[in-house]
Amino acid sequence: MRLVGQKDRKTSRGGRFARRRLPLLLAALLAASGCATGARDAGGEASPSARAGAGVQGAPGPAAAAPKGALELDREAAKAAAERAIAERARVAREREALVAASRRWGLKQPPMIAPPPPADKVLPPTRAGFEVRGQRDEALPPVFTTVPTTDRVVFLTIDDGDNKDPDTLRMLEELHIPYSAFLSDYLVSDDYGYFRKARDKGVAINNHTLHHRYLPALSRGEQREEICGMQDILGRQYGKRPELFRPPYGDYNRDTLVTAKSCGVRAVPLWNAEVFPGRWEYREADQDLHPGDIVLTHFQGRAQWKGTMPDALRTFLRTVTEKGYAVARLEDYV
């Protein structure tokens, strides 16, 4: 055989080997080409899956907001606190301006002083020395007092009876932000419960001053029960609450009074340490002066009983209290 023939046979075998490999190579190329072209749609754009993959493996999308540092949070909190303080100062200034204007309308040269916050805990005052009855302490009868022990420069306004129902009285007390406690007798208020309902709706406490304003020590225990507990029932129906404070007419009482009052829900018997009328005061103490925690009495009365109106009596009260450096607080916030 010729060497050339041998060479041709080798070449022929190599050609057959190459032909066998060619389809495999083409298939591999086609597969690779398919992966590449499959990543794009007919318009040449990357397919959603490719774009999603690029988003994960390629350039990132919009950067996520970096978490705020502690310093930045502190700055924001300080800014918010400053804005609240500014708003509060503005509110206080507006209220002060309104109070000054109201004081002028009601004939006061000075606006009433603002009472301090009430105590966190109420303390029931003890019975004033000399005002006790037999069994007062042993039977835990309601204490009788004329002053509330406190270091706050405050006094308490209480208004009795309910005969005069001048709308100016309610308007004056509301506009001047003067808290007070009402002690009502039914025979005087039954013609217009609604007048005192308006006061109650403004935060005024409605308390018991008996049905008919009778001198209680002259009555039997049964008669006293009718006067005191009967008024509790009426006040509960008319004003939604049976009061815990009771004031006997004229400030007069005996042991039966306190026993009866306790039996129908009375917790304390506040009297008064000073009384105010249009243009004048009457004081209980020898120094003829006001003291921190004093309870002050006036009445829902007018020209039929006084030489003046109810607002006249309130002006007398507020001028003196303010000049002496006292604010008016709410009795029920302390006892």
Side-chain angles (χ1 to χ4, degrees):
M1 292 186 292
R2 290 181 299 119
L3 291 173
V4 173
Q6 291 175 356
K7 182 177 180 183
D8 291 340
R9 285 195 296 273
K10 290 179 181 177
T11 304
S12 177
R13 286 196 301 270
R16 288 194 299 271
F17 179 73
R19 284 194 298 273
R20 286 197 300 270
R21 292 182 60 192
L22 183 59
L24 296 173
L25 291 171
L26 288 173
L29 290 171
L30 287 171
S33 175
C35 289
T37 56
R40 296 185 176 275
D41 59 21
E45 294 295 328
S47 67
S49 60
R51 287 196 296 270
V56 173
Q57 298 176 3
K68 293 182 179 179
L71 185 59
E72 187 177 356
L73 290 173
D74 287 346
R75 288 197 194 100
E76 291 182 357
K79 181 181 178 182
E83 290 173 350
R84 288 195 299 270
I86 291 170
E88 178 63 14
R89 285 196 295 271
R91 183 190 66 79
V92 171
R94 288 193 301 271
E95 289 186 355
R96 184 67 180 174
E97 290 175 3
L99 184 59
V100 169
S103 299
R104 290 171 180 163
R105 283 197 304 274
W106 292 106
L108 299 172
K109 293 181 180 179
Q110 294 177 276
M113 298 183 69
I114 305 300
D121 298 315
K122 299 178 183 181
V123 177
L124 200 59
T127 292
R128 177 171 172 150
F131 285 54
E132 306 94 341
V133 299
R134 178 174 52 84
Q136 179 95 44
R137 182 173 300 178
D138 294 341
E139 298 180 42
L141 298 179
V144 182
F145 50 91
T146 62
T147 299
V148 176
T150 180
T151 57
D152 294 341
R153 288 191 67 80
V154 298
V155 296
F156 306 101
L157 176 63
T158 62
I159 310 179
D160 281 9
D161 298 347
D163 183 23
N164 184 278
K165 303 173 184 67
D166 185 351
D168 280 349
T169 300
L170 300 186
R171 187 161 51 250
M172 179 180 184
L173 291 165
E174 179 185 359
E175 291 181 2
L176 295 174
H177 304 296
I178 302 301
Y180 61 101
S181 303
F183 289 82
L184 304 181
S185 292
D186 189 61
Y187 83 108
L188 293 172
V189 303
S190 59
D191 63 334
D192 190 359
Y193 290 122
Y195 177 86
F196 297 98
R197 198 169 290 117
K198 293 176 184 176
R200 180 210 59 187
D201 292 345
K202 299 296 183 180
V204 176
I206 305 296
N207 298 300
N208 189 335
H209 199 43
T210 73
L211 289 175
H212 302 100
H213 206 275
R214 301 177 67 186
Y215 177 70
L216 295 179
L219 305 181
S220 67
R221 182 177 292 189
E223 290 170 323
Q224 291 201 43
R225 182 172 186 81
E226 180 182 353
E227 285 290 323
I228 301 169
C229 300
M231 189 58 177
Q232 289 285 88
D233 295 339
I234 288 175
L235 294 175
R237 288 196 302 270
Q238 292 295 328
Y239 303 109
K241 182 180 178 182
R242 292 167 62 87
E244 296 182 340
L245 302 185
F246 161 68
R247 175 174 286 163
Y250 317 107
D252 291 318
Y253 60 95
N254 59 15
R255 184 175 183 278
D256 284 347
T257 306
L258 301 186
V259 170
T260 301
K262 180 182 177 180
S263 73
C264 49
V266 170
R267 189 170 57 89
V269 179
L271 298 184
W272 61 91
N273 217 32
E275 185 172 358
V276 66
F277 307 85
R280 66 184 180 89
W281 284 75
E282 290 183 1
Y283 298 95
R284 189 184 295 270
E285 307 297 344
D287 63 2
Q288 299 293 286
D289 203 357
L290 285 174
H291 316 86
D294 274 356
I295 300 171
V296 179
L297 165 67
T298 193
H299 294 81
F300 287 102
Q301 295 181 351
R303 293 191 183 281
Q305 298 87 9
W306 295 332
K307 294 180 180 179
T309 65
M310 182 78 194
D312 290 335
L314 294 173
R315 270 187 286 272
T316 299
F317 168 74
L318 290 171
R319 285 169 181 160
T320 299
V321 166
T322 305
E323 287 170 2
K324 291 180 178 291
Y326 288 93
V328 183
R330 188 174 182 268
L331 179 62
E332 288 76 8
D333 288 341
Y334 280 73
V335 301

Coordinates of all heavy atoms in Angstrom, one line a residue, residues 126-159:
P126 N -60.2 68.0 109.4 CA -60.8 67.6 110.7 C -61.9 68.6 111.1 O -62.0 69.7 110.6 CB -59.7 67.6 111.6 CG -58.7 68.7 111.1 CD -58.9 68.6 109.6
T127 N -62.7 68.2 112.0 CA -63.7 69.1 112.5 C -63.0 70.2 113.3 O -62.1 70.0 114.0 CB -64.7 68.4 113.5 OG1 -65.5 67.5 112.7 CG2 -65.6 69.3 114.2
R128 N -63.5 71.5 113.0 CA -62.9 72.6 113.7 C -63.1 72.5 115.2 O -64.2 72.1 115.7 CB -63.5 73.9 113.2 CG -63.1 75.1 113.9 CD -63.5 76.4 113.2 NE -63.2 77.6 114.0 CZ -62.9 78.8 113.5 NH1 -63.0 79.0 112.2 NH2 -62.7 79.8 114.3
A129 N -62.1 72.9 116.0 CA -62.2 72.8 117.4 C -63.4 73.7 117.9 O -63.6 74.8 117.5 CB -61.0 73.3 118.1
G130 N -64.2 73.1 118.8 CA -65.4 73.7 119.3 C -66.7 73.5 118.4 O -67.8 73.9 118.8
F131 N -66.5 72.8 117.3 CA -67.7 72.5 116.4 C -68.1 71.0 116.5 O -68.9 70.6 115.7 CB -67.3 72.9 115.0 CG -67.3 74.3 114.7 CD1 -66.5 75.2 115.4 CD2 -68.0 74.9 113.6 CE1 -66.5 76.6 115.1 CE2 -68.0 76.2 113.3 CZ -67.2 77.1 114.1
E132 N -67.5 70.3 117.4 CA -67.7 68.9 117.5 C -69.1 68.6 118.1 O -69.6 69.5 118.9 CB -66.7 68.1 118.3 CG -65.2 68.4 117.8 CD -64.6 69.5 118.6 OE1 -65.3 70.4 119.1 OE2 -63.3 69.6 118.5
V133 N -69.6 67.4 117.9 CA -70.8 66.9 118.6 C -70.4 65.6 119.3 O -69.4 65.0 119.0 CB -72.0 66.7 117.6 CG1 -72.4 68.0 116.9 CG2 -71.7 65.6 116.6
R134 N -71.2 65.2 120.2 CA -71.0 63.9 120.9 C -70.9 62.7 119.9 O -71.7 62.6 119.0 CB -72.1 63.6 121.9 CG -71.9 62.3 122.7 CD -73.0 62.2 123.7 NE -74.4 62.4 123.2 CZ -75.1 61.5 122.6 NH1 -74.6 60.3 122.4 NH2 -76.3 61.8 122.2
G135 N -69.8 62.0 120.0 CA -69.6 60.8 119.1 C -69.0 61.2 117.8 O -69.0 60.3 116.9
Q136 N -68.6 62.4 117.6 CA -68.1 62.9 116.3 C -67.0 62.0 115.8 O -67.1 61.5 114.6 CB -67.5 64.3 116.5 CG -67.0 64.9 115.2 CD -67.9 65.7 114.4 OE1 -68.6 66.6 115.0 NE2 -68.0 65.6 113.1
R137 N -66.0 61.7 116.6 CA -64.9 60.9 116.1 C -65.2 59.4 116.2 O -64.9 58.7 115.2 CB -63.6 61.2 116.9 CG -62.4 60.5 116.5 CD -61.1 60.9 117.2 NE -60.9 62.4 117.0 CZ -59.9 63.0 117.6 NH1 -59.1 62.4 118.5 NH2 -59.8 64.3 117.4
D138 N -65.8 58.9 117.3 CA -66.0 57.5 117.4 C -66.9 57.0 116.3 O -66.8 55.8 115.9 CB -66.6 57.2 118.8 CG -65.6 57.5 119.9 OD1 -64.4 57.6 119.6 OD2 -66.0 57.7 121.1
E139 N -67.9 57.7 115.9 CA -68.9 57.3 114.9 C -68.5 57.8 113.5 O -69.3 57.6 112.6 CB -70.3 57.8 115.3 CG -70.8 57.3 116.7 CD -72.1 57.8 117.0 OE1 -73.0 57.8 116.1 OE2 -72.4 58.1 118.2
A140 N -67.3 58.4 113.4 CA -66.9 58.9 112.1 C -67.9 59.7 111.4 O -68.3 59.5 110.2 CB -66.5 57.7 111.2
L141 N -68.5 60.7 112.2 CA -69.5 61.6 111.6 C -68.8 62.6 110.7 O -67.6 62.8 110.8 CB -70.2 62.3 112.7 CG -71.0 61.4 113.7 CD1 -71.7 62.2 114.8 CD2 -72.1 60.5 112.9
P142 N -69.6 63.1 109.7 CA -69.0 64.0 108.7 C -68.3 65.2 109.5 O -68.9 65.8 110.4 CB -70.1 64.5 107.9 CG -71.1 63.4 108.0 CD -71.0 62.8 109.4
P143 N -67.1 65.5 109.1 CA -66.4 66.7 109.8 C -67.0 68.0 109.4 O -67.5 68.2 108.3 CB -65.0 66.6 109.3 CG -65.1 65.9 107.9 CD -66.2 64.9 108.1
V144 N -67.0 68.9 110.3 CA -67.5 70.3 110.1 C -66.3 71.2 110.2 O -65.6 71.3 111.2 CB -68.5 70.6 111.2 CG1 -69.1 72.0 111.0 CG2 -69.6 69.6 111.3
F145 N -66.1 72.0 109.1 CA -64.9 72.9 109.1 C -65.2 74.2 108.3 O -66.2 74.3 107.6 CB -63.7 72.1 108.3 CG -64.1 71.5 107.0 CD1 -64.0 72.2 105.8 CD2 -64.6 70.2 107.0 CE1 -64.4 71.6 104.6 CE2 -65.0 69.6 105.8 CZ -64.9 70.3 104.6
T146 N -64.4 75.1 108.5 CA -64.5 76.5 107.9 C -63.4 76.8 107.0 O -63.5 77.8 106.3 CB -64.7 77.5 109.0 OG1 -63.5 77.6 109.8 CG2 -65.9 77.3 109.9
T147 N -62.3 76.1 107.1 CA -61.1 76.3 106.4 C -60.5 75.0 105.9 O -60.5 74.0 106.7 CB -60.0 77.1 107.2 OG1 -60.6 78.4 107.5 CG2 -58.7 77.4 106.4
V148 N -59.9 74.9 104.8 CA -59.3 73.7 104.3 C -57.8 73.9 104.5 O -57.2 74.9 104.0 CB -59.5 73.5 102.8 CG1 -58.8 72.3 102.3 CG2 -61.0 73.3 102.5
P149 N -57.1 73.0 105.2 CA -55.7 73.1 105.5 C -54.9 73.0 104.2 O -55.0 72.0 103.4 CB -55.4 71.9 106.4 CG -56.7 71.5 107.0 CD -57.7 71.8 105.9
T150 N -54.2 74.1 103.8 CA -53.4 74.1 102.6 C -52.4 75.2 102.7 O -52.6 76.3 103.4 CB -54.3 74.3 101.3 OG1 -53.5 74.4 100.2 CG2 -55.1 75.6 101.4
T151 N -51.3 75.1 102.0 CA -50.3 76.2 101.9 C -50.5 77.0 100.7 O -49.9 78.0 100.5 CB -48.9 75.6 101.9 OG1 -48.7 74.7 100.9 CG2 -48.6 74.9 103.3
D152 N -51.4 76.5 99.8 CA -51.7 77.3 98.6 C -52.4 78.6 99.0 O -53.3 78.6 99.8 CB -52.6 76.5 97.6 CG -51.9 75.3 97.1 OD1 -50.6 75.2 97.1 OD2 -52.6 74.4 96.6
R153 N -52.1 79.7 98.3 CA -52.8 80.9 98.5 C -54.1 80.9 97.7 O -54.2 81.6 96.7 CB -51.9 82.1 98.2 CG -50.8 82.3 99.2 CD -50.1 83.7 99.0 NE -51.0 84.8 99.3 CZ -51.3 85.3 100.5 NH1 -50.8 84.7 101.6 NH2 -52.0 86.3 100.7
V154 N -55.0 80.2 98.2 CA -56.3 80.0 97.5 C -57.4 80.2 98.6 O -57.2 79.9 99.8 CB -56.5 78.7 96.8 CG1 -55.4 78.5 95.7 CG2 -56.4 77.5 97.8
V155 N -58.6 80.6 98.1 CA -59.8 80.6 98.9 C -60.9 79.9 98.1 O -60.7 79.7 96.9 CB -60.3 82.0 99.3 CG1 -59.2 82.6 100.3 CG2 -60.5 82.9 98.1
F156 N -62.0 79.6 98.7 CA -63.0 78.8 98.0 C -64.3 79.6 98.1 O -64.8 80.0 99.2 CB -63.2 77.4 98.7 CG -61.9 76.7 98.7 CD1 -61.2 76.6 99.9 CD2 -61.4 76.0 97.6 CE1 -60.0 75.9 100.0 CE2 -60.2 75.3 97.7 CZ -59.5 75.2 98.9
L157 N -65.0 79.8 96.9 CA -66.2 80.5 96.9 C -67.4 79.5 96.9 O -67.4 78.6 96.1 CB -66.3 81.3 95.6 CG -67.6 82.1 95.3 CD1 -67.9 83.1 96.4 CD2 -67.6 82.8 93.9
T158 N -68.3 79.7 97.8 CA -69.5 78.9 97.9 C -70.7 79.9 97.9 O -70.7 81.0 98.5 CB -69.5 78.1 99.2 OG1 -69.5 78.9 100.4 CG2 -68.3 77.2 99.2
I159 N -71.8 79.4 97.2 CA -73.0 80.3 97.0 C -74.2 79.5 97.4 O -74.5 78.4 96.9 CB -73.1 80.8 95.6 CG1 -71.8 81.4 95.1 CG2 -74.2 81.8 95.5 CD1 -71.8 81.9 93.6

